[in-house]
């Protein structure tokens, strides 16, 4: 009987141990199932690809003009422009008449200041019948000095350098004396299609001629003229230079070529200009809303258009290079209290308000302080006596 009881107790102990082992195994299985499985190297590759896809989705899917505009697209637009003008003109003389071709640029945010930007194209935009004028500095300065020797001097220099594109040479004194009236300045504007100015007299010429010349394309283009060397190369770069007026509104135009040019030259100018916008355009390429090609009196054919939101673009700031003599003056005015008047060299006037938290001392307060200081001095002298 005793042996039977011992065997029963051993069986019960074994059953209890087996039950504990089964519970432990089930608990381990539950923990393993609840825990996130550690990724294997193959799984890591799948996760990295998924994260890359998410990152690509987060980035802006708006493309810039330099990546969208291609040579085939430009050529197709030029062909469409030719067909568009031929539809309205029965003579079909779009590339027979030398009419200018413009690129219309529309921005998202207008820059804070006005500026004129220069771009050098691979091919000249001047027509074969265009008149080119070169404004040069005077050899001798003075009011009663004749300007004909300076004209002869510069004509000989251009002839010896092999420059045939410049038709008229205009010294600075002749410009001041003969073109002093508005009608004469307007005649100068209509007679010439291209006016180049030496850098040394550019500020004086712009002051004499006025704002009318800045509105027309390719007017008052600065050129570095060296009498000894590189004269022809500098004038050739000036003929290939185009001007872009910035901050005159949301849309602005720049000259790209004319209709008598070959289609390949026009497309090269357009592609070169788009690549230069990548680095020099105010606000970058992201600030460009649309680019299109047009004639002066035709519809615009789009090259590029984006729906980029304006909140993603900041207002571009243009840094103006000013000379050392550009100094603003400040002073007070009796008509505007608690403010200063700033006068710039170009004549613009601005009012600058002073800090209201720190009010200025009036004359009456100063006089009362002077009187008190005098009384204290007299008292001190009386005490000493």
């Amino acid at each position: 009987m005793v042996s039977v009881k011992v065997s029963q107790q051993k069986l019960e102990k074994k059953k209890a141990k087996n039950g504990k082992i089964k519970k432990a195994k089930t608990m381990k299985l539950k923990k393993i199932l609840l825990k996130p499985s550690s990724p294997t190297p193959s799984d890591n590759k799948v996760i990295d690809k998924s994260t890359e896809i998410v990152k690509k989705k987060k980035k802006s899917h708006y493309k810039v003009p330099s990546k969208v505009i291609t040579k085939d697209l430009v050529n197709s637009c030029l062909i469409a422009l030719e067909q568009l003008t031929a539809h309205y003109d029965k003579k079909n003389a779009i590339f027979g008449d030398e009419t200018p071709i413009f690129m219309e640029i529309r921005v998202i945010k207008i820059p804070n200041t006005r500026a004129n930007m220069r771009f050098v194209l691979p091919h000249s935009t001047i027509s074969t019948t265009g008149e080119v004028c070169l404004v040069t500095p005077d050899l001798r300065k003075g009011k009663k000095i004749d300007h004909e020797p300076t004209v002869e001097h510069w004509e000989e220099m251009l002839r010896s350098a092999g420059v045939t594109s410049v038709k008229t040479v205009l010294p600075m004194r002749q410009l001041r004396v003969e073109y002093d009236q508005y009608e004469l300045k307007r005649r100068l504007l209509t007679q010439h299609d291209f006016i180049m100015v030496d850098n040394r007299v550019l500020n004086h010429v712009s002051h004499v001629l006025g704002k009318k010349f800045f509105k027309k394309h390719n007017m008052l283009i600065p050129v570095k003229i060296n009498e000894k060397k590189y004269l022809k190369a500098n004038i050739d770069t000036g003929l290939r230079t185009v001007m872009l007026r910035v901050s005159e509104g949301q849309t602005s135009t720049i000259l790209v070529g004319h209709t008598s040019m070959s289609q390949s030259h026009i497309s090269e100018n357009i592609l070169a200009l788009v690549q230069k916008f990548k680095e020099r355009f105010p606000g970058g390429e992201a600030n460009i809303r649309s680019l299109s090609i047009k004639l002066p009196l035709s519809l615009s054919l789009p090259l590029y258009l984006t729906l980029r939101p304006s909140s993603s673009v900041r207002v571009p700031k243009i840094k103006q290079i000013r000379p050392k003599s550009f100094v603003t003056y400040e002073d007070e005015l009796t008509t505007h209290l608690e403010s200063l008047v700033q006068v710039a060299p170009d004549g613009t006037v601005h009012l600058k308000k002073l800090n209201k938290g720190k009010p200025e001392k009036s004359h009456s307060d100063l006089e009362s302080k002077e009187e008190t200081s005098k009384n204290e001095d007299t008292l001190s002298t009386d005490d000493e006596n």
Side-chain angles (χ1 to χ4, degrees):
M1 293 293 292
V2 176
S3 62
V4 173
K5 288 181 180 179
V6 171
S7 61
Q8 286 179 355
Q9 288 177 359
K10 287 181 178 179
L11 289 169
E12 288 177 357
K13 286 180 181 180
K14 284 183 180 180
K15 287 180 180 179
K17 284 182 180 179
N18 292 328
K20 288 180 180 179
I21 290 165
K22 286 180 180 180
K23 285 182 180 180
K25 286 181 179 179
T26 53
M27 291 295 290
K28 284 181 180 180
L29 288 169
K30 285 181 181 180
K31 286 181 180 179
I32 289 164
L33 292 170
L34 291 170
K35 280 184 179 180
S37 61
S38 60
T40 59
S42 60
D43 294 334
N44 285 328
K45 291 180 181 178
V46 174
I47 291 164
D48 293 336
K49 287 180 180 179
S50 62
T51 53
E52 286 178 1
I53 291 164
V54 171
K55 286 181 181 178
K56 285 180 181 179
K57 285 182 180 180
K58 286 182 179 179
K59 289 182 180 179
S60 62
H61 57 277
Y62 300 103
K63 294 183 179 180
V64 291
S66 61
K67 293 183 179 180
V68 174
I69 298 172
T70 58
K71 190 174 182 180
D72 296 333
L73 179 62
V74 174
N75 290 331
S76 62
C77 282
L78 291 173
I79 292 167
L81 185 67
E82 183 179 359
Q83 292 176 357
L84 181 66
T85 51
H87 178 71
Y88 292 105
D89 191 4
K90 294 180 181 179
K91 295 180 181 179
N92 194 10
I94 174 174
F95 289 101
D97 297 334
E98 295 180 354
T99 55
I101 300 172
F102 298 102
M103 178 186 281
E104 190 176 19
I105 307 161
R106 188 177 180 184
V107 298
I108 298 173
K109 292 287 183 70
I110 301 171
N112 56 348
T113 55
R114 292 184 179 180
N116 299 323
M117 300 183 69
R118 288 184 291 173
F119 296 97
V120 181
L121 301 177
H123 302 284
S124 177
T125 58
I126 187 170
S127 60
T128 55
T129 58
E131 293 287 334
V132 181
C133 178
L134 178 64
V135 182
T136 60
D138 297 324
L139 295 177
R140 294 177 61 188
K141 295 182 180 180
K143 294 182 179 179
K144 296 182 179 180
I145 294 173
D146 192 7
H147 56 267
E148 289 182 0
T150 58
V151 174
E152 293 176 357
H153 171 75
W154 287 108
E155 283 180 352
E156 288 179 1
M157 293 296 297
L158 294 171
R159 199 180 301 114
S160 61
V163 178
T164 58
S165 56
V166 178
K167 300 294 177 66
T168 58
V169 177
L170 188 64
M172 191 65 201
R173 186 186 176 277
Q174 185 180 1
L175 181 67
R176 287 175 176 170
V177 173
E178 296 184 1
Y179 297 94
D180 55 346
Q181 297 180 4
Y182 179 75
E183 292 181 359
L184 298 173
K185 293 177 183 178
R186 190 175 180 181
R187 189 180 299 173
L188 178 67
L189 180 66
T190 54
Q191 285 178 353
H192 299 91
D193 299 328
F194 212 87
I195 294 179
M196 294 186 292
V197 186
D198 191 2
N199 285 330
R200 293 171 284 183
V201 294
L202 179 62
N203 293 328
H204 301 289
V205 172
S206 60
H207 180 71
V208 171
L209 295 177
K211 297 180 181 178
K212 188 76 176 175
F213 280 73
F214 288 98
K215 293 181 180 179
K216 192 174 180 181
H217 293 275
N218 288 353
M219 283 293 166
L220 303 183
I221 292 176
V223 180
K224 291 181 181 179
I225 297 176
N226 192 353
E227 298 179 7
K228 296 180 181 179
K229 58 182 180 179
Y230 304 125
L231 182 60
K232 186 176 181 180
N234 291 331
I235 288 174
D236 289 338
T237 54
L239 293 172
R240 291 186 287 111
T241 303
V242 291
M243 303 294 291
L244 176 65
R245 317 298 186 205
V246 183
S247 187
E248 291 186 351
Q250 275 194 336
T251 58
S252 56
T253 56
I254 186 169
L255 188 64
V256 171
H258 53 86
T259 52
S260 63
M261 290 175 64
S262 63
Q263 188 175 341
S264 61
H265 288 180
I266 298 169
S267 63
E268 286 176 5
N269 285 347
I270 292 168
L271 292 171
L273 192 62
V274 170
Q275 291 297 325
K276 288 182 180 181
F277 285 163
K278 187 177 179 180
E279 300 176 356
R280 297 186 55 196
F281 193 79
E285 286 184 302
N287 194 27
I288 297 174
R289 174 69 73 190
S290 64
L291 293 174
S292 56
I293 301 172
K294 67 186 292 292
L295 293 174
L297 299 174
S298 70
L299 297 172
S300 58
L301 299 173
L303 279 172
Y304 168 79
L305 180 64
T306 182
L307 298 175
R308 190 189 299 272
S310 59
S311 60
S312 63
V313 181
R314 294 182 180 180
V315 178
K317 295 181 180 180
I318 300 172
K319 293 182 180 180
Q320 293 183 349
I321 300 170
R322 293 174 177 175
K324 295 179 180 179
S325 59
F326 193 93
V327 181
T328 56
Y329 293 93
E330 293 184 355
D331 204 349
E332 296 180 354
L333 278 178
T334 56
T335 55
H336 294 275
L337 299 174
E338 296 180 354
S339 61
L340 293 174
V341 180
Q342 294 179 344
V343 182
D346 57 353
T348 56
V349 180
H350 300 283
L351 285 173
K352 182 181 177 181
K353 292 184 179 181
L354 298 172
N355 294 328
K356 294 182 179 180
K358 296 180 180 179
E360 292 185 345
K361 297 178 180 179
S362 61
H363 294 287
S364 61
D365 295 334
L366 294 171
E367 289 176 357
S368 62
K369 282 189 176 181
E370 289 177 356
E371 289 178 358
T372 53
S373 61
K374 286 180 182 179
N375 293 328
E376 288 175 356
D377 294 333
T378 53
L379 289 171
S380 62
T381 51
D382 292 335
D383 292 335
E384 288 175 359
N385 293 326

